[in-house]
Every structure is written in structure tokens, then in C-alpha cells.
Amino acid sequence: MVSVGPSLLLTSSVDITPMMTVLDGVLMELQDCALPLLKDVIATDKEEVAFKDLDVAVLVGSMPRREGMERKDLLKANVKIFKSQGAALDKYAKKSVKVIVVGNPANTNCLTASKSAPSIPKENFSCLTRLDHNRAKSQIALKLGVTADDVKNVIIWGNHSSTQYPDVNHAKVKLHGKEVGVYEALKDDSWLKGDFITTVQQRGAAVIKARKLSSAMSAAKAIADHIRNIWFGTPEGEFVSMGVISDGNSYGIPDDLLYSFPVVIKNKTWKFVEGLPINDFSREKMDLTAKELAEEKETAFEFLSSA
């Protein structure tokens, strides 16, 4: 949670009461970083303290899926969490607050929080698909022997789940001082339509299998990238991926889904990148992940209406 002054940051961190000792450890680490813009950190288990007058809220905590847990049980548990946090934002935060949801299932949790904060514009809510976006850039860069900064305009469509669609049909890469399309640069359609997609879709699971823990540093970097673009905008000629509310008019995605789109940002306001041609392969992938999100929404809203 961040309040932004003229040149300094005041942050607050909220957690459940049993985790306060751990949160105190996080506070000490932040202090020990000696960050030049950080003025103070407030560790609290009180929503009225943590959410008061926020400029930016990063909702990281969620109920993780446990062995034997059905997806509907996961959605039910998270509806309760994000309904409460949305209501707290509605009550205590600035109406201009930018809310970024990280805790999974991030898209549907974000939609739940937005619906629970009716006085805050729904466009102020977004969920993190930047980690997937960065993973896609990295895979292309590794394949071509360039740096990730040489790759731009990849797209993550849809859900932050294994149905997401990493799309490089419109991506560019800088090779020998010249920008070329990724398909043209790689000349390997089978990899781009096969292993590349599955690698990005399953990267989170692969990290957990390897280190027995979820992504940490890469997730933190993606959150920072996401917030920086919201606050300072996207570079000219570049777009990024964010889970945002659909309007029913962009790329055939049904209205009122929290779906990852390509966006550009200026003056802290995002806009869809419009007019990108969508081929049949992409259309099928985009519709598949939209279907999953529609099903998640239906289940979550059953719990939301009865909560």
C-alpha cells in the first residue's frame, strides 16, 4: 500500500494478526534497504489504517490452492478475502486509488474487489499479467540471443492461468540495429505455436517444481514494472499486458470480464491497443481463456451475492 508525497513514499503493509511477527521482519528489511524515496513503513493488521488515503494498493495475499481443493472452493475462499479488501478500499482509500491484484486467481479476485468498491472507477483496478508478459519477452530473447529489452509488444491475452495466450504476432525484436517481427526473426512457427506458448503458460508451475516455492524476485519485478507504467506511462510505440475490465467492444471479448489485453498508458489512464489483426489460431486461444474467465466469474459471483 503506497501513499505518494511530493518526492517521498509512505507505505503500509497489512496482514492477518497471526502473521504480524513475520510482517515486522518485512518492515525491518525495507528499512535496511535504505531506499532513497522511502520515508516510513507502517505494519498493521487493521484495514482502516492500511487502506487510509491510498494512492496505490497492491493486493498480494490470497488463499492458495491446496491439495484436494476444488477450484470452486478456492474461488469461494478468495471471494471472502477480496470482498473485504474491496469494501475497505471503498471506505478508506482515495477514489483515485490504483489497485493492482496479484493474489491468484488474480483476474477473478480483481473483479471481486472492483465489484465490492462501487465508488472507485472500475478502470482503476487491474491484475498482474506482467510476469507472464516478461516471461514471454525473456523466452524470445533467449531464443534469439538478445536481451529482453530488445523485445517489445508481446501480448498476454486472458487469464493468469494455464489458459492464457502468449501472442507474439505483433511483437518486434531489435536485431543488428533494426526492428523486425518476431516471426520473421525466428523463422520457427512450430516453436512459436507450440513449446513457446506452453513454456510461458506453465512457467509458474515449473518454478515451483524447481525451487519448491512460488516465483518471488520475478514477481516483485513484474509488480514494479506494472506500477511504474501506470504511474509514468508506457514508452512511445510500446504496449504492455494488463488484466483490465473488458467493455464488450474490444477483440470480441465479452463485457465485464477482467481479461488481459495489450494497453498503452498515459496520464495514469490505460487504453486498449485497438485494431490489431487477429488470426484464426489466436482467436481460438483468446476465446478459450475468455470462456474460463466467464466460468470463474459465474462461480465467484454466486458466492459474492450470498456472502
Side-chain angles (χ1 to χ4, degrees):
M1 315 297 180
V2 181
S3 298
V4 182
S7 59
L8 297 173
L9 302 180
L10 172 66
T11 73
S12 59
S13 298
V14 63
D15 211 326
I16 56 176
T17 303
M19 295 297 290
M20 284 304 295
T21 301
V22 175
L23 192 57
D24 286 339
V26 174
L27 183 151
M28 287 187 278
E29 285 228 70
L30 285 168
Q31 292 170 338
D32 294 348
C33 285
L35 298 164
L37 297 181
L38 183 60
K39 180 180 180 182
D40 196 11
V41 182
I42 299 168
T44 181
D45 58 358
K46 296 177 174 60
E47 287 181 337
E48 63 270 24
V49 175
F51 289 86
K52 183 175 175 55
D53 296 333
L54 287 183
D55 292 293
V56 178
V58 185
L59 307 183
V60 178
S62 63
M63 171 70 78
R65 191 167 187 171
R66 295 170 180 163
E67 188 174 355
M69 180 182 280
E70 297 290 338
R71 192 163 184 83
K72 66 179 181 180
D73 298 324
L74 179 69
L75 288 166
K76 183 177 182 179
N78 280 293
V79 162
K80 183 177 179 180
I81 294 168
F82 286 87
K83 179 181 180 181
S84 173
Q85 294 196 340
L89 286 163
D90 201 59
K91 187 173 182 179
Y92 300 114
K94 295 177 181 178
K95 301 311 174 189
S96 59
V97 64
K98 304 298 185 183
V99 184
I100 298 94
V101 175
V102 178
N104 288 317
N107 297 60
T108 301
N109 287 344
C110 187
L111 188 61
T112 299
S114 174
K115 295 295 184 182
S116 304
S119 70
I120 298 172
K122 59 188 177 182
E123 293 80 12
N124 287 22
F125 287 79
S126 60
C127 80
L128 187 75
T129 55
R130 185 58 170 269
L131 178 52
D132 309 302
H133 181 101
N134 288 350
R135 286 165 171 165
K137 287 180 62 174
S138 174
Q139 289 300 308
I140 297 300
L142 287 168
K143 192 78 169 175
L144 287 169
V146 299
T147 68
D149 276 352
D150 291 323
V151 182
K152 70 177 186 181
N153 296 351
V154 303
I155 301 169
I156 303 297
W157 297 101
N159 201 0
H160 176 61
S161 75
S162 60
T163 68
Q164 65 174 263
Y165 171 43
D167 177 8
V168 294
N169 283 285
H170 314 288
K172 303 287 186 182
V173 60
K174 187 182 293 184
L175 288 176
H176 312 299
K178 180 183 177 182
E179 277 192 356
V180 297
V182 165
Y183 267 84
E184 178 187 348
L186 277 171
K187 298 180 175 63
D188 191 347
D189 288 16
S190 62
W191 181 79
L192 286 169
K193 292 182 176 180
D195 286 350
F196 164 71
I197 292 174
T198 55
T199 296
V200 176
Q201 288 174 333
Q202 299 170 14
R203 188 69 163 185
V207 170
I208 291 172
K209 183 178 180 180
R211 67 187 297 263
K212 314 307 178 191
L213 293 168
S214 296
S215 303
M217 183 184 294
S218 58
K221 168 63 163 52
I223 294 167
D225 290 343
H226 183 115
I227 296 173
R228 181 176 180 82
N229 282 144
I230 288 176
W231 214 253
F232 297 107
T234 47
E236 188 70 28
E238 292 189 30
F239 48 79
V240 295
S241 304
M242 286 172 47
V244 295
I245 195 69
S246 59
D247 61 4
N249 298 314
S250 297
Y251 297 105
I253 304 306
D255 184 36
D256 205 35
L257 287 183
L258 212 297
Y259 188 100
S260 183
F261 288 92
V263 300
V264 292
I265 307 167
K266 187 176 182 180
N267 298 326
K268 300 184 179 68
T269 301
W270 59 265
K271 292 183 178 180
F272 295 118
V273 177
E274 298 284 11
L276 297 174
I278 304 298
N279 60 33
D280 291 343
F281 179 86
S282 295
R283 181 78 269 158
E284 182 180 353
K285 299 287 188 184
M286 291 163 65
D287 289 346
L288 178 68
T289 192
K291 180 176 183 290
E292 181 183 60
L293 280 171
E295 292 170 353
E296 281 189 13
K297 175 186 172 181
E298 182 179 0
T299 303
F301 278 29
E302 288 175 7
F303 297 130
L304 186 62
S305 61
S306 61

